[in-house]
Amino acid sequence: MLELLFLLLPVAAGYGWIMGKNSAKNQAHQHSRKITAEYSKGLKFLLDREDDQGLEHLIQLLEVSADSVEHYLTLATLFRRRGELDRAIKIHELLLEHPNLNDDQLTTCRLELAQDYILAGLLDSAEEHLLILIKQKRPQALEPLITLYSQTREWHKGITLHQRYAHLFTQRQQKIAIANFYCEAGAADNAPELMSQALGVGEPSVRPLYELGQLAFQREDYVQAIHYWRDLICQFTYCSPLVLERLSSSYRHLHLEHQFEHLLAELVDKGGIGLKIHYCQHLVKAGQRKQAVEFITKSLKKQPNIRGFRFLLQLLAGQNAQLDEALNPIDKLIQSYIDTKADFQCQHCGFQSHSHYWLCPSCRHWESMQPSRGLDGF
């Protein structure tokens, strides 16, 4: 009998363990059903626009579990897309009050709340939350904060932000934005020294070189204008159409046309059609029209271009009066076509314009508007 008792003990222990496990499963299942019920009830109240009751149920659910954060964020995104910013704000504020969210969840909630405030026009509140994240060394807040300062034209705030937290500025576009902040502040305050400081943000930028060269050109300091604009077209050859005419004029004022010719010869192979046309014009002035025709013809075979083709026609027309008369209507037709094409295009979003902007009006990227390229570009 005693032996039978010992044999039954393991069976009894196993049975007890199984029953305990099933009991725990039942409790977890009941807990899950409770959360689902409360969550569904809260959703129904919110969707029925009974905000107070809906948020009350969501608060109760949030106290039960922090695992539903993603559900809240999805719901808030839905409200934002529907234009119901007040609801999205309430949900994100509710999440920030929860004591058990981890740092990444808190960062996400605060970023979303700042976005809600921006869309609602509550820019000071958005700035407050973004600065909290910056102080916590969260680089995710840089982009929306830079965009916010661009929108409000608070250039000095952006500059101060960079000076204090330069180590967070790791993206090229962020540094270019700050370089443009320096230029905007310099133009607003009539302080060229601010534009000079833009050269030290740690990322080569077109605008400081352009603006400093423009200021020098306006005060007829052609040596300085050449200094800045030469650097510009050497570093950013695709932007040469912005300054090429005035750069040529600066060299001409100093009787240094031969130096400009050397510069063109250095850059012509990697430049666009505008640079090639200037190079050919200097060949023509030097009595080398035939070489100019051969060069531009060879270039057009490699990369066809409407502007280059028009220039070639002008070169050919200049050699024969009868041919000139025949080609004039064609030249006017090509020019009419070129006039319909945008001179600048954003390399980020594709926005096109006849005017140049340092900040794309469409995607709000700095220095993404560049001279058009391709068949009818520069």
Side-chain angles (χ1 to χ4, degrees):
M1 189 68 179
L2 186 62
E3 291 82 353
L4 181 61
L5 180 62
F6 277 112
L7 288 173
L8 290 175
L9 282 175
V11 176
Y15 179 76
W17 179 81
I18 292 172
M19 292 301 293
K21 185 177 180 181
N22 288 337
S23 176
K25 283 185 177 180
N26 289 333
Q27 291 179 1
H29 184 64
Q30 291 177 359
H31 183 71
S32 177
R33 290 181 62 183
K34 178 182 178 182
I35 292 176
T36 302
E38 292 297 326
Y39 187 70
S40 300
K41 190 182 295 184
L43 281 178
K44 186 177 186 306
F45 279 127
L46 281 178
L47 293 174
D48 290 341
R49 299 198 66 86
E50 298 181 36
D51 293 350
D52 294 336
Q53 289 177 286
L55 287 175
E56 181 180 349
H57 278 83
L58 288 174
I59 291 171
Q60 292 174 359
L61 176 59
L62 196 58
E63 290 174 350
V64 172
S65 172
D67 297 333
S68 56
V69 172
E70 291 299 326
H71 298 146
Y72 282 87
L73 292 174
T74 302
L75 182 62
T77 300
L78 173 64
F79 285 140
R80 182 195 294 164
R81 288 177 180 175
R82 291 174 55 180
E84 300 178 59
L85 296 174
D86 54 336
R87 293 181 173 184
I89 289 172
K90 286 181 179 180
I91 291 176
H92 288 135
E93 289 177 340
L94 170 67
L95 287 170
L96 285 178
E97 294 174 0
H98 196 280
N100 297 325
L101 299 188
N102 60 43
D103 290 342
D104 289 339
Q105 290 173 325
L106 286 172
T107 297
T108 300
C109 294
R110 201 175 291 279
L111 281 172
E112 293 295 325
L113 179 58
Q115 185 65 26
D116 293 337
Y117 282 140
I118 289 173
L119 293 174
L122 304 173
L123 303 184
D124 289 340
S125 297
E127 180 187 15
E128 178 184 350
H129 283 280
L130 292 172
L131 286 175
I132 289 174
L133 292 174
I134 293 296
K135 292 175 182 177
Q136 295 173 351
K137 299 181 180 180
R138 298 286 179 171
Q140 304 96 310
L142 276 181
E143 291 288 348
L145 193 54
I146 289 173
T147 301
L148 176 61
Y149 288 150
S150 297
Q151 181 179 342
T152 57
R153 303 182 66 82
E154 295 176 293
W155 315 118
H156 286 284
K157 283 188 176 182
I159 292 171
T160 301
L161 180 72
H162 178 260
Q163 291 172 342
R164 291 180 179 175
Y165 304 99
H167 60 285
L168 296 179
F169 287 73
T170 58
Q171 302 298 318
R172 179 175 180 272
Q173 178 60 211
Q174 296 168 353
K175 296 177 183 179
I176 288 177
I178 295 303
N180 278 267
F181 276 34
Y182 274 107
C183 292
E184 291 284 354
D189 301 347
N190 193 23
E193 63 274 9
L194 283 174
M195 296 182 183
S196 298
Q197 292 179 42
L199 297 173
V201 298
E203 184 70 34
S205 178
V206 176
R207 190 176 182 185
L209 296 172
Y210 175 89
E211 297 286 7
L212 290 168
Q214 178 69 8
L215 290 174
F217 186 80
Q218 290 174 347
R219 62 175 183 267
E220 299 183 358
D221 185 351
Y222 301 116
V223 173
Q224 281 284 52
I226 289 172
H227 168 73
Y228 289 117
W229 284 343
R230 180 188 173 93
D231 280 354
L232 190 156
I233 67 171
C234 286
Q235 293 184 59
F236 309 98
T237 309
Y238 58 86
C239 285
S240 59
L242 294 176
V243 299
L244 209 51
E245 291 290 347
R246 283 166 292 171
L247 180 58
S248 174
S249 176
S250 299
Y251 276 106
R252 191 165 56 251
H253 276 94
L254 298 175
H255 306 290
L256 296 174
E257 291 94 334
H258 61 286
Q259 290 190 13
F260 185 57
E261 292 173 20
H262 291 318
L263 177 63
L264 291 175
E266 292 175 6
L267 299 175
V268 69
D269 288 335
K270 64 176 183 178
I273 194 65
L275 205 59
K276 290 177 171 61
I277 288 174
H278 267 78
Y279 177 69
C280 289
Q281 288 173 339
H282 277 270
L283 289 178
V284 172
K285 288 180 182 178
Q288 300 177 332
R289 179 181 291 269
K290 181 180 178 181
Q291 290 87 336
V293 171
E294 291 176 353
F295 177 84
I296 198 68
T297 301
K298 184 178 178 180
S299 298
L300 291 174
K301 286 181 179 179
K302 290 182 179 179
Q303 188 174 3
N305 181 275
I306 298 295
R307 298 173 193 269
F309 179 67
R310 177 173 180 257
F311 178 72
L312 176 59
L313 290 181
Q314 292 172 343
L315 286 178
L316 295 174
Q319 297 177 343
N320 186 298
Q322 292 181 344
L323 185 61
D324 190 7
E325 183 178 351
L327 291 179
N328 272 339
I330 299 177
D331 179 74
K332 291 180 181 178
L333 183 63
I334 295 175
Q335 184 58 48
S336 298
Y337 170 80
I338 292 175
D339 290 341
T340 65
K341 298 299 179 179
D343 294 328
F344 302 95
Q345 183 174 18
C346 176
Q347 301 303 304
H348 183 257
C349 71
F351 175 80
Q352 295 181 334
S353 172
H354 287 289
S355 302
H356 180 255
Y357 300 96
W358 293 112
L359 180 65
C360 175
S362 177
C363 65
R364 313 301 291 175
H365 265 61
W366 288 99
E367 294 189 14
S368 59
M369 292 289 294
Q370 298 174 8
S372 298
R373 306 172 192 176
L375 183 63
D376 45 37
F378 292 97

